Amino acid sequence: MQEALLAAAVQWPAQGQPASPYGWLLTVATRRLTDEMRSDAARRRREGLAATGPAGPDPVGGPPADADDTLILLFLCAHPALSPPSQIALTLRAVGGLSTAEIAQAFLVPEATMAQRISRAKQGIRDSGSRFSLPPPEARPDRLRAVLQVLYLIFNEGYTATAGDQLARGDLTSEAIRLTRLLRQQLPADGEVAGLLALMLLTEARLAARAGPDGSLIPLAEQDRSRWDRQLIAEGVALITDSLARTRLGPYQLQAAIAAVHDEAPRVEDTDWPQILALFGLLETLSPGPMVTLNRSVAVAMVHGPAAGLAVVDQLATDKRMARHHRLHAVRGHLLELAGDPAAARAAYRTAAGYATNVPERRYLDARAAALAGE
């Protein structure tokens, strides 16, 4: 069934839609995912057969002699005994070299509070008995996922601050990119490391065009694309091209592919929404979650109309994790506006503004509501 759905997903461009120069992204991603499903099925059959016979040796190799200290630190800071906030704080302190005051400022907490958080994180690692070495081979895949998640969260916090007067923190996005580059130097064959770095570069490329001179939010559709960093876009596209061609498919690679489609469109009206929608379908297969579905709802609206997108959003409204999230209501407002229902869109924007904790985001949402009210 999954393979049939994946095969159906590539039956585009839709009638009347020009073929995207990056249509191969979806084709390659779909083929790799289908191949991996078949490979996983074969592996499970082999494991079932092996379980009926005598167990063979399980050789475990040690960490490479030249393992970089940075890589070891990243794995230590992403220790499963620590909470995600502690993992982030410790990574910024131990690997990023930021001071406790700088980290506290980034997350809008008193310096003493951040010092306690970092101290508890260090003690948690000591209590776990971890040593300054790479985790055992069997633990590395899970720990690498945690490392990538920490770096992803640091970048996201920099790209849109959770709270405060600044829309973005360029120092945090730059630090996340620097650390991910270091990780890629040590793990050049890992597709998800490359995918995450590509995603960061393709997103960072738009940062300068994302805010006005007064710090106000400029949405993607209204950005001056001549201000996008073409060097970062070229590097990101090259990374995701290579990664999709030769490594196991993962969620960060798919997100990078989506970002590449956006970045390669010369104008907003040139965006290949059918391709983006199909890529989101693959992403939901690999990494389902409410935020993925919310983002997909916009692509659904752009391909099938705002009513279809709103139907997806309505399904998410019953999710307790999303009901009070400002982005859910912001997307609803946008789609209602596209559907020609200004009164409902205005109400949704006002609800979103009430939940937003980032000041520029809240001001943007208030401004959208005011514009629809003719104020």
Side-chain angles (χ1 to χ4, degrees):
M1 175 60 74
Q2 286 177 311
E3 291 181 14
L5 288 173
L6 293 172
V10 297
Q11 299 305 309
W12 51 265
Q15 188 174 6
Q17 286 283 344
S20 165
Y22 282 88
W24 55 268
L25 282 173
L26 178 65
T27 303
V28 172
T30 303
R31 287 174 180 166
R32 295 196 68 83
L33 184 57
T34 301
D35 289 344
E36 285 158 14
M37 286 176 177
R38 291 170 178 155
S39 174
D40 286 345
R43 174 183 53 77
R44 286 192 294 271
R45 287 195 297 270
R46 289 194 302 271
E47 289 173 349
L49 290 171
T52 65
D58 182 19
V60 177
D66 60 349
D68 187 83
D69 286 355
T70 299
L71 181 62
I72 296 173
L73 269 175
L74 280 169
F75 274 102
L76 272 177
C77 293
H79 196 283
L82 305 181
S83 67
S86 295
Q87 290 174 339
I88 293 171
L90 194 57
T91 299
L92 289 173
R93 183 72 184 94
V95 188
L98 275 67
S99 69
T100 302
E102 288 172 324
I103 301 170
Q105 181 183 17
F107 291 94
L108 302 174
V109 299
E111 184 175 351
T113 300
M114 185 55 68
Q116 290 177 348
R117 184 177 298 174
I118 293 172
S119 178
R120 285 195 299 268
K122 291 178 180 177
Q123 188 60 49
I125 290 179
R126 292 191 197 100
D127 292 344
S128 73
S130 295
R131 299 191 304 171
F132 189 76
S133 61
L134 288 172
E138 65 272 14
R140 289 177 199 170
D142 287 341
R143 291 284 284 277
L144 178 58
R145 280 192 289 271
V147 169
L148 294 177
Q149 179 70 5
V150 167
L151 295 174
Y152 180 76
L153 291 173
I154 292 171
F155 183 87
N156 281 353
E157 180 62 30
Y159 195 70
T160 304
T162 302
D165 295 334
Q166 290 181 285
L167 176 64
R169 288 287 308 271
D171 53 342
L172 285 181
T173 60
S174 296
E175 185 59 20
I177 291 173
R178 186 185 76 84
L179 294 176
T180 308
R181 286 191 188 279
L182 289 174
L183 185 61
R184 176 160 164 75
Q185 288 173 10
Q186 292 298 327
L187 300 172
D190 190 282
E192 279 292 79
V193 174
L196 179 58
L197 180 56
L199 174 61
M200 289 180 178
L201 296 174
L202 291 163
T203 307
E204 178 82 353
R206 303 192 293 261
L207 191 61
R210 191 163 168 258
D214 60 352
S216 58
L217 170 66
I218 301 176
L220 181 65
E222 299 173 19
Q223 289 175 16
D224 177 359
R225 298 187 177 214
S226 69
R227 299 188 64 200
W228 288 3
D229 190 323
R230 293 295 159 186
Q231 185 173 347
L232 288 181
I233 291 172
E235 183 182 359
V237 168
L239 270 173
I240 191 58
T241 301
D242 176 69
S243 178
L244 283 176
R246 66 177 180 82
T247 66
R248 183 180 179 87
L249 186 66
Y252 292 118
Q253 292 165 289
L254 285 169
Q255 290 180 70
I258 291 167
V261 176
H262 277 297
D263 285 10
E264 286 296 317
R267 304 171 302 165
V268 64
E269 54 266 33
D270 298 324
T271 304
D272 191 338
W273 285 107
Q275 179 172 318
I276 289 174
L277 177 57
L279 286 167
F280 268 121
L282 292 178
L283 183 58
E284 278 197 313
T285 299
L286 279 183
S287 183
M291 276 299 176
V292 174
T293 302
L294 182 62
N295 287 325
R296 183 175 66 84
S297 72
V298 177
V300 168
M302 300 305 294
V303 175
H304 299 298
L310 283 165
V312 178
V313 175
D314 288 342
Q315 294 172 5
L316 284 173
T318 61
D319 188 324
K320 292 182 180 179
R321 295 171 294 178
M322 298 295 293
R324 297 175 63 84
H325 200 296
H326 73 284
R327 291 203 176 103
L328 173 74
H329 300 282
V331 169
R332 184 192 295 279
H334 174 61
L335 298 185
L336 286 166
E337 191 174 355
L338 290 177
D341 190 345
R346 182 171 64 250
Y349 281 134
R350 284 178 173 161
T351 300
Y355 289 135
T357 53
N358 178 278
V359 173
E361 281 192 306
R362 185 167 65 242
R363 287 174 178 163
Y364 171 79
L365 294 165
D366 279 333
R368 291 303 314 146
L372 290 171
E375 298 173 5

